[in-house]
Amino acid sequence: MDVQEMQMAVSPKLMIKKDFLHIADSSSEELQDLLDLAMALKKEYFNGGNAPVLKGKALAMVFQKPSLRTRVSFEMAMQHLGGHALYLSPAEIGLGERESIADVARVLSGYVQGIMARVFSHEHLIELAEWASVPVINGLSDYNHPCQALADALTIQERFGTAKGLNVAYVGDGNNVAVSLMHICAKLGWNFAIANPIGYELASDAIEAAKQITCETGAEISFYNNPHEAVRGADVIYTDTWTSMGQEEETIQREEIFSSYQVNRQLVNEAKRDAIVMHCLPAHRNHELTDDVADGLQSVIFSQAHNRLHAQKAILARIFGVA
Ligand code: CP
Ligand code: NVA
């Protein structure tokens, strides 16, 4: 029996492998270590290119939803590090429809050394990770978006350094991006304030997890309905779409409910003078974020997008055990 056959034969639940599914699964030290590695890989890349440490490694990229940043940044990250990425479109695999998730996980585990998946249901991601004998990276689920949060933290640290006590204000829907942002803020000792309309709060288990983290790091988490209260004293103002992928039927209703949660010049002026404005993109311009703010001097939205490349190189290097 060769190594791959042995891996397939062993129950995946008994195997120790590194997945990257949830910010709360990593310690503060592990996250800072990933951020330091991301910064080092970014410097290396701009100083002549990365070493091909992922030579011979392949990453399957399974998508149930569209993507620009996640797809391209993971593919280029693998290429820069000497590895190979395979894009598997929503129509191609039919995860859980054409074939069961458990079967897809076990088949892919025999072909590639890692899987990155963007799914509708977070439960499906957990199932995929349980059955895969290779590491699984969360490329966004309905619950969270940890790769985005790591790139966001890298962007924040590039601007403000690694000091604790920064104030991060999130304005809008308590969605997947907000969950991971809250967790990484709590882990890194940054205060997190969120303003959302009633009925659009963060998931209660995500809030519980964040509160537990803050007991260790001393970060504060606060909840508002009024965006003006949330951004007072903020170093970072963050927003995301009011209608996430999969919620398209609610678009008209959400546009109405969220209309007073727009990040515009007036709201930005209520934060600290040197506050930065963040958005994970894609943005619905002049809905959750006005053009003048998105393209203004305080905006770091494209740095965030570009930092996905560097943050994910660090994740890949760690899960493949080469750094
Ligand atoms: N921010 C983000 O994940 O973008 P994509 O949906 O384009 O991947
Ligand atoms: N909340 C958004 C993020 C997109 C990157 C969504 O899930 O569609």
Side-chain angles (χ1 to χ4, degrees):
M1 197 182 259
D2 69 15
V3 174
Q4 216 162 50
E5 282 169 337
M6 269 164 55
Q7 280 183 343
M8 300 289 281
V10 175
S11 161
K13 288 182 184 145
L14 298 177
M15 295 192 59
I16 298 168
K17 64 185 173 77
K18 288 182 198 161
D19 296 317
F20 189 75
L21 302 178
H22 195 15
I23 290 293
D25 292 341
S26 302
S27 68
S28 303
E29 292 71 27
E30 284 167 339
L31 289 167
Q32 188 55 56
D33 189 52
L34 270 176
L35 289 164
D36 293 344
L37 178 60
M39 190 63 83
L41 288 166
K42 184 172 180 176
K43 282 192 184 132
E44 184 184 69
Y45 173 63
F46 285 115
N47 285 333
N50 294 124
V53 290
L54 296 187
K55 193 165 183 293
K57 308 278 188 201
L59 179 77
M61 307 193 298
V62 177
F63 282 90
Q64 284 189 326
K65 299 176 180 177
S67 169
L68 169 63
R69 281 143 291 270
T70 305
R71 189 246 161 112
V72 179
S73 57
F74 264 107
E75 186 158 341
M76 294 316 295
M78 285 300 290
Q79 190 173 315
H80 292 169
L81 296 174
H84 183 73
L86 292 106
Y87 171 66
L88 299 162
S89 74
E92 230 150 350
I93 291 202
L95 192 68
E97 289 168 10
R98 179 172 183 263
E99 197 163 359
S100 78
I101 293 171
D103 286 357
V104 169
R106 285 175 290 183
V107 170
L108 282 177
S109 297
Y111 299 148
V112 296
Q113 289 69 45
I115 301 169
M116 186 276 291
R118 165 167 288 194
V119 297
F120 281 102
S121 160
H122 191 71
E123 294 311 311
H124 291 170
L125 187 77
I126 302 291
E127 194 180 340
L128 188 74
E130 273 177 3
W131 284 100
S133 54
V134 297
V136 174
I137 301 171
N138 179 354
L140 178 145
S141 72
D142 59 352
Y143 179 65
N144 62 358
H145 197 3
C147 293
Q148 181 67 52
L150 196 71
D152 295 339
L154 182 63
T155 312
I156 293 171
Q157 289 196 342
E158 281 180 329
R159 178 62 65 102
F160 294 113
T162 54
K164 293 186 174 197
L166 284 177
N167 297 316
V168 177
Y170 178 98
V171 176
D173 189 19
N175 64 14
N176 44 10
V177 168
V179 163
S180 293
L181 183 68
M182 171 173 67
H183 286 153
I184 207 154
C185 287
K187 289 274 181 186
L188 298 176
W190 297 335
N191 303 321
F192 178 81
I194 180 166
N196 52 258
I198 293 166
Y200 295 87
E201 291 84 8
L202 288 153
S204 54
D205 62 328
I207 294 175
E208 270 321 300
K211 283 184 178 165
Q212 283 190 8
I213 299 166
T214 60
C215 295
E216 293 158 26
T217 63
E220 286 175 18
I221 303 197
S222 33
F223 305 93
Y224 301 92
N225 295 126
N226 184 339
H228 302 279
E229 290 177 29
V231 303
R232 202 172 295 143
D235 299 288
V236 176
I237 301 179
Y238 200 118
T239 190
D240 183 21
T241 180
W242 296 332
T243 306
S244 286
M245 291 179 276
Q247 300 171 334
E248 287 78 6
E249 281 180 7
E250 299 171 32
T251 303
I252 295 171
Q253 187 190 346
R254 282 171 172 266
E255 287 286 323
E256 232 172 81
I257 290 168
F258 282 93
S259 61
S260 59
Y261 290 79
Q262 184 183 68
V263 174
N264 52 32
R265 175 52 46 205
Q266 188 202 328
L267 193 71
V268 172
N269 285 347
E270 293 170 25
K272 284 190 184 160
R273 278 172 74 91
D274 65 346
I276 56 173
V277 176
M278 303 184 78
H279 190 306
C280 61
L281 303 180
H284 301 79
R285 282 165 172 264
N286 300 314
H287 294 253
E288 75 269 9
L289 182 66
T290 54
D291 268 341
D292 59 329
V293 172
D295 299 325
L297 291 174
Q298 289 166 274
S299 169
V300 295
I301 60 176
F302 297 111
S303 301
Q304 277 176 268
H306 297 156
N307 276 336
R308 293 289 300 277
L309 178 68
H310 313 294
Q312 287 157 198
K313 281 181 186 171
I315 296 167
L316 290 165
R318 280 284 186 267
I319 66 158
F320 286 130
V322 297

